[in-house]
Amino acid sequence: LGPICFPGTKIAVPGTVWPHRYIETLATVIYEKGVDVEIILSNPHSTPANTKLTNACYGNGWSCVDVASEIIKAVKKRYPDSKETNLRKIIAENLRLCYIRGKHGRTWEDGTSIGMHAKHFIVDDMASYIGSQNLYVADLAEWGVIIDGEDETKKIMSEYWNPMWKHSFTGEDCDVQGVMDGLHIERDGEDVANLSEETKKKMMQARLASTRILSTQLDLFTVEADEKI
């Protein structure tokens, strides 16, 4: 859900933001209609096939508490008269977030954390989507399939979502107090026209790290090519 961050941090890359329109929609239906929202996230800093964080990072490092805080911030913004007790009740009863888990918990057999690249959502148990489209802006070519049919959606739930939710949700990943404490945190990226010195430093560090990785990959490619020749 959250934007790309500098590797190993929760600092969004300048110019990137959370998908506020989607988050505001979730906030509205939760507050006005009491809709239950269940979200499974990749474990923070999980990567595909042990690649470096500068190459790929499922979930971009954001936690369940971060995501929940952004949704509750949207509730507060849209409904400024909402009381703290009501917000806490929403977190505890309507907003359920967790990290994806498997047989070995939140890690694979080799100890690396589990990530999930597929993007998937279900609406009212009647329609669903699965594909590669991120909710945050990523400027990538994305593909997905919308299933607008209750029977097929329920089949997907039975074979895919329900087992995953059963293994993943334990109630321990999203602390109510942690969400409330995080409401003051600014998680959008800085304005590219007005960058702080700290952000400029992190940008340079990320660029250098990426350059070293690309150089190493090029060296490996050259060695493999020489061996083939």
Side-chain angles (χ1 to χ4, degrees):
L1 284 172
I4 299 169
C5 293
F6 290 111
T9 75
K10 290 185 180 181
I11 302 174
V13 170
T16 63
V17 297
W18 285 69
H20 294 294
R21 287 182 60 189
Y22 295 110
I23 289 175
E24 288 165 5
T25 299
L26 291 177
T28 300
V29 296
I30 289 173
Y31 191 86
E32 294 187 0
K33 299 182 178 181
V35 169
D36 293 332
V37 175
E38 299 174 343
I39 303 175
I40 298 178
L41 302 176
S42 293
N43 289 280
H45 307 304
S46 53
T47 61
N50 292 320
T51 55
K52 300 294 184 181
L53 287 175
T54 47
N55 282 5
C57 178
Y58 293 133
N60 294 330
W62 300 108
S63 69
C64 291
V65 168
D66 292 319
V67 174
S69 288
E70 287 299 308
I71 295 173
I72 298 302
K73 280 166 64 175
V75 172
K76 285 192 64 177
K77 180 179 179 181
R78 188 172 180 84
Y79 309 99
D81 294 331
S82 56
K83 297 180 180 180
E84 181 176 330
T85 53
N86 192 26
L87 296 179
R88 289 178 176 273
K89 183 179 179 181
I90 289 174
I91 301 167
E93 298 182 5
N94 300 100
L95 188 56
R96 293 184 282 275
L97 289 90
C98 65
Y99 300 115
I100 187 170
R101 287 176 169 81
K103 179 180 179 181
H104 297 273
R106 291 171 54 185
T107 63
W108 299 108
E109 291 185 10
D110 62 1
T112 56
S113 61
I114 300 176
M116 177 172 53
H117 188 57
K119 287 75 177 179
H120 175 74
F121 57 79
I122 300 170
V123 180
D124 295 337
D125 299 352
M126 298 178 66
S128 56
Y129 166 91
I130 188 165
S132 63
Q133 180 66 55
N134 297 293
L135 291 183
Y136 63 88
V137 177
D139 293 329
L140 300 172
E142 306 287 6
W143 304 91
V145 176
I146 296 175
I147 298 91
D148 188 10
E150 185 174 356
D151 291 342
E152 288 303 314
T153 295
K154 287 188 179 299
K155 183 178 179 181
I156 291 171
M157 292 176 64
S158 175
E159 297 179 0
Y160 176 61
W161 174 260
N162 291 344
M164 182 167 60
W165 182 259
K166 180 180 178 180
H167 280 88
S168 299
F169 184 72
T170 63
E172 63 187 274
D173 297 329
C174 192
D175 174 63
V176 174
Q177 187 59 50
V179 175
M180 297 301 293
D181 290 342
L183 296 180
H184 69 283
I185 298 175
E186 175 56 62
R187 297 179 178 86
D188 283 339
E190 288 184 35
D191 183 350
V192 293
N194 188 29
L195 298 179
S196 66
E197 290 302 317
E198 180 183 359
T199 297
K200 291 178 182 179
K201 181 178 179 180
K202 289 185 179 299
M203 290 176 67
M204 181 58 68
Q205 291 172 341
R207 184 178 300 170
L208 292 173
S210 179
T211 301
R212 286 195 294 270
I213 290 172
L214 290 174
S215 177
T216 300
Q217 291 175 337
L218 181 60
D219 290 342
L220 291 173
F221 175 80
T222 304
V223 170
E224 289 178 358
D226 290 342
E227 290 176 349
K228 291 180 180 180
I229 294 173

